[in-house]
Amino acid sequence: MKSYFNYFLILILLSFIIISCKTRETNYITYYNKVNEIDSIYRIAQRPKLAIKKIRKLFKEFQPKNQERIEEFENYIYLSDKYQKNFGGKKNLYKFITLIAPYRNAYQEHLPLLKNME
């Protein structure tokens, strides 16, 4: 009786591990296409609030990359701050810092925003 119980617990544990593993690959081609679409909404159509809404939805699906020329994550944080929209607070600021940290003193231009969030 006890051995059946142990097998049952092991089976439940293994099934939990298998189910909880994240096996889905992220398709960043889709991400970049959506970023370019949202960037067009912001820059060409001049609709920053719609762009904020769409990029927030995109960042729920994908980890932000902050492309070199578009800088979508940086724009999202600054636009959200400008229009008093929620951008995820300190959690997203920490993500942002890790994206810009490797580039020498790039963080220094963002210090006023970071100080406002304290």
Side-chain angles (χ1 to χ4, degrees):
M1 182 74 170
K2 189 174 182 179
S3 65
Y4 289 120
F5 184 72
N6 288 340
Y7 287 127
F8 180 72
L9 285 178
I10 291 172
L11 180 65
I12 289 177
L13 181 64
L14 286 175
S15 61
F16 179 75
I17 291 172
I18 291 171
I19 291 171
S20 65
C21 288
K22 188 175 182 180
T23 57
R24 190 183 99 192
E25 285 189 30
T26 306
N27 183 358
Y28 275 98
I29 293 173
T30 305
Y31 170 80
Y32 292 129
N33 285 337
K34 288 182 180 181
V35 164
N36 289 332
E37 177 186 322
I38 294 167
D39 190 57
S40 296
I41 291 170
Y42 167 59
R43 295 181 196 271
I44 297 171
Q46 300 291 319
R47 298 187 63 196
K49 291 183 180 179
L50 178 63
I52 292 169
K53 184 178 176 182
K54 286 186 174 275
I55 205 148
R56 181 182 304 129
K57 184 178 176 185
L58 179 68
F59 289 157
K60 287 180 182 177
E61 187 177 345
F62 295 96
Q63 279 288 99
K65 290 291 185 185
N66 206 43
Q67 297 178 62
E68 184 179 332
R69 302 213 185 257
I70 295 178
E71 298 175 334
E72 69 276 3
F73 197 45
E74 179 179 339
N75 287 339
Y76 167 67
I77 289 175
Y78 277 97
L79 280 174
S80 297
D81 185 51
K82 181 179 178 181
Y83 291 99
Q84 289 83 36
K85 300 287 184 180
N86 181 17
F87 62 85
K90 289 185 179 183
K91 179 183 169 188
N92 276 343
L93 283 178
Y94 289 134
K95 283 183 193 177
F96 179 59
I97 290 169
T98 59
L99 288 174
I100 63 170
Y103 304 106
R104 294 194 179 209
N105 295 327
Y107 69 91
Q108 288 181 343
E109 68 183 73
H110 306 291
L111 284 178
L113 176 71
L114 299 175
K115 287 180 180 177
N116 287 340
M117 293 298 131
E118 291 180 349

